[in-house]
Amino acid sequence: MTVPFLSLKDVTDKYSNEIHEAALRVIDSGWYLQGKENEQFEADYSKYIGTKYTVGCANGLDALIWIFRAYIELGVMQPGDEVIVPANTYIATILAITENGLVPVLVEPSINTLQIDDSLIEEKITAKTKAICIVHLYGQCAYTDEIGQLCKKYGLKLIEDNAQAHGCIFNGKKTGSLGDAAGHSFYPGKNLGALGDAGAVTTNDEELANAIRSLANYGSSKKYVFRYTGRNSRLDEIQAAILDVKLKHLDEDVAIRKSVAKRYIEEIKNPKVTLPKIIDWNQHVFHLFPIICYNRDELQKYLTEKGIGTNIHYPIPPHKQECYKEWNGINLPVTEKIHNTELSIPMSPCLTDEQIQYVIDSVNEW
């Protein structure tokens, strides 16, 4: 038996008739950018997330870049200001900060949750700190009441990187609506994935939303009139239409992911493997299912030989990357431990019972 890490074709095939109809509708309309499909998806996604505004853009990285850039344009931040961010995030979160001349302040995660350790944040706050950027990594909610209180205490913006957590809930509110603004990625492999690159920003701040919409449209809110030196970063009509189809099925797909995760957690018994610790099942949508194993490379090799796809999220942390060589000497032991021991096993709403059982049996047999 073979178990792919993630079959995008299977994910798409689940709703292929609706997706084909949506794409054909756009093709036949003759309108391919900034049209009714964008308006409809933005309205539906705002309703789903629970924010007043959604602004579609080209991808998740741009979504984060535009949030910080808009705050600079609005005078809320300026280059040189600091943004607190988890050290073990995917590099896109860091890139969005440095792209705007802001300074990332890396905070270690908790080894138990793999999310930013809220007990370490306050000591990192300085007079230059203007925001905390949390990342709902692997699909698990990173927000805590303590983080919210710190933002209020120090007057900080709370920005969410919600690229991996579509549908996640904290105390009845969706991630993406917990802070001042949130960046969303609809990369094909995400829980809500397009058939290409796509992204969005959600916020309740009208001024911020308007600035982001202009920045992503060459800096213009009126044709041939440019308030900002922006770029072209728009969500096309076909991707918006496809996303609107898949949005209707998102909660159903998340429920399936949770059922897969529950089986893994209940049935994987190998003492060499540490499974995710679930605090609240509402606070995890299992974009990925990360396990921790000190012999990670051996386990990955074994599973590959068994025909089971795996991935490492992520083999090299941001502070060890060549593009940030000025940080290479920083010692972040918890982050480095996670990056050296994390292995993601198959997680998808398309896995069969037989495939799930085969993964469980194979991990247990190792």
Side-chain angles (χ1 to χ4, degrees):
M1 178 182 289
T2 59
V3 185
F5 177 70
L6 174 64
S7 170
L8 292 177
K9 186 178 186 305
D10 288 347
V11 171
T12 303
D13 284 349
K14 281 189 74 176
Y15 311 114
S16 62
N17 289 339
E18 293 172 80
I19 288 171
H20 279 93
E21 289 173 7
L24 188 60
R25 182 175 68 244
V26 176
I27 293 167
D28 289 344
S29 75
W31 195 289
Y32 308 125
L33 282 171
Q34 295 182 305
K36 293 180 180 178
E37 302 293 346
N38 261 265
E39 291 176 7
Q40 188 63 58
F41 173 68
E42 289 181 354
D44 290 343
Y45 198 61
S46 290
K47 183 178 180 181
Y48 180 82
I49 294 294
T51 55
K52 292 180 181 178
Y53 308 101
T54 293
V55 182
C57 61
N59 54 67
L61 172 57
D62 277 4
L64 291 170
I65 287 173
W66 297 134
I67 291 170
F68 291 114
R69 172 72 185 280
Y71 276 131
I72 290 172
E73 295 289 355
L74 296 173
V76 176
M77 299 179 189
Q78 62 182 1
D81 285 341
E82 296 173 350
V83 178
I84 289 172
V85 64
N88 65 317
T89 184
Y90 180 57
I91 200 167
T93 321
I94 311 296
L95 290 172
I97 297 169
T98 59
E99 171 82 6
N100 284 289
L102 301 167
V103 180
V105 177
L106 306 179
V107 174
E108 288 266 63
S110 163
I111 194 62
N112 293 320
T113 65
L114 310 184
Q115 306 299 317
I116 191 169
D117 188 337
D118 59 14
S119 70
L120 302 178
I121 293 176
E122 189 165 19
E123 65 190 50
K124 298 285 188 178
I125 296 174
T126 72
K128 287 191 171 184
T129 306
K130 291 298 187 293
I132 298 174
C133 181
I134 57 175
V135 183
H136 305 299
L137 201 62
Y138 309 124
Q140 182 169 350
C141 181
Y143 179 83
T144 64
D145 288 329
E146 289 76 10
I147 292 174
Q149 289 164 7
L150 285 173
C151 288
K152 290 179 181 178
K153 180 178 178 180
Y154 292 97
L156 307 177
K157 295 296 183 183
L158 178 60
I159 298 164
E160 299 173 75
D161 182 338
N162 200 51
Q164 300 186 2
H166 314 124
C168 193
I169 298 172
F170 179 86
N171 288 353
K173 294 183 67 176
K174 294 279 196 342
T175 55
S177 70
L178 301 174
D180 295 285
H184 306 252
S185 168
F186 305 123
Y187 180 79
K190 305 299 187 186
N191 287 22
L192 179 61
L195 299 190
D197 277 320
V201 174
T202 54
T203 183
N204 287 316
D205 185 333
E206 182 178 14
E207 187 178 27
L208 184 73
N210 289 338
I212 290 170
R213 194 175 296 282
S214 294
L215 285 163
N217 185 39
Y218 298 98
S220 171
S221 58
K222 181 180 180 182
K223 196 168 186 179
Y224 301 133
V225 178
F226 303 93
R227 182 175 182 181
Y228 309 111
T229 54
R231 289 200 316 217
N232 177 9
S233 176
R234 297 177 298 208
L235 176 62
D236 73 66
E237 288 285 277
I238 286 182
Q239 299 302 345
I242 290 168
L243 286 167
D244 210 41
V245 167
K246 297 180 79 173
L247 178 61
K248 296 176 176 63
H249 301 285
L250 178 57
D251 287 343
E252 170 191 337
D253 284 346
V254 167
I256 297 171
R257 288 175 179 273
K258 289 184 179 182
S259 69
V260 175
K262 188 173 183 181
R263 284 199 60 190
Y264 282 164
I265 289 170
E266 291 179 350
E267 299 179 39
I268 292 177
K269 302 294 184 181
N270 192 323
K272 295 180 179 179
V273 169
T274 300
L275 303 173
K277 294 177 174 62
I278 309 305
I279 299 169
D280 183 330
W281 281 87
N282 286 321
Q283 293 182 30
H284 211 316
V285 291
F286 298 98
H287 167 59
L288 299 170
F289 193 91
I291 62 177
I292 299 296
C293 177
Y294 285 97
N295 303 108
R296 187 261 313 278
D297 294 345
E298 293 178 22
L299 174 56
Q300 184 177 42
K301 183 173 182 286
Y302 169 81
L303 292 176
T304 299
E305 291 169 351
K306 298 277 285 184
I308 297 171
T310 60
N311 211 331
I312 297 171
H313 296 90
Y314 301 93
I316 305 172
H319 73 284
K320 295 297 183 182
Q321 296 287 351
E322 184 178 353
C323 63
Y324 292 121
K325 55 182 177 292
E326 67 272 22
W327 299 340
N328 288 174
I330 296 175
N331 182 33
L332 295 168
V334 179
T335 293
E336 290 160 26
K337 177 180 178 181
I338 292 170
H339 284 254
N340 287 330
T341 59
E342 189 276 341
L343 184 68
S344 299
I345 61 176
M347 171 53 68
S348 162
C350 300
L351 291 172
T352 66
D353 288 341
E354 291 76 17
Q355 287 175 322
I356 297 166
Q357 190 63 56
Y358 184 64
V359 173
I360 292 167
D361 292 341
S362 297
V363 174
N364 282 338
E365 288 165 5
W366 179 69

